[in-house]
Amino acid sequence: MNKKHIRIAATTAVTAVALGVAAPTAGAVEAVREAKTASRTAEPLRPTAADVRDLVSRMRSDGVDQNQIREFEQYAKQLEDPKTQDRILGSGTIIRKLIVAGLRHGGVWAGKIVGKVSKKAGDYLTRNGGKIADAIEDVEGWTETALAVAMVHAGVPTDIATDIAKGIMLVAM
């Protein structure tokens, strides 16, 4: 064998060893990333009775319609009753109303939504929660795309609208 073939063989062997070591390491890094993402989304995103009560107190201080406050208080009572938790009628609709109210009035539960989006989108959401709530309040079929389109039409930058819609759908599901 000439020296050129030996160099090629040596380079190939070194590369194979490097890839053999790097592939499991890359797989381990990816597994850690997936575990972090899973733990972030594994926390309960549905509102708790305490979350709803926090929102109700904020709504009271903002002078919101008493009918909506009563509806949310009734929902909080249902959340506390373990027999009704899994079969609350109209829970999809009430969750949507809670999301809109949370975006508009802030609170613990709104913080969970903000925590599910990028920092940039979270900062925008914190400053413009009312604008976003107005944009999505009348959206009929809540899908990620429908919410993002409604926000873009209201003037929210596309990348931020997409991130916020993803966060909202994590909570709404």
Side-chain angles (χ1 to χ4, degrees), residues 96 138-147:
R96 290 178 184 186
D138 294 326
V139 173
E140 296 256 340
W142 272 33
T143 64
E144 205 172 293
T145 304
L147 293 174

Side-chain angles (χ1 to χ4, degrees), residues 44-52 75 79 94-95 98 109 112 171:
L45 297 176
R46 289 287 182 164
T48 63
D51 294 339
V52 175
Y75 182 68
L79 287 174
I94 194 84
I95 296 293
L98 284 166
W109 196 49
K112 289 181 183 179
V171 174

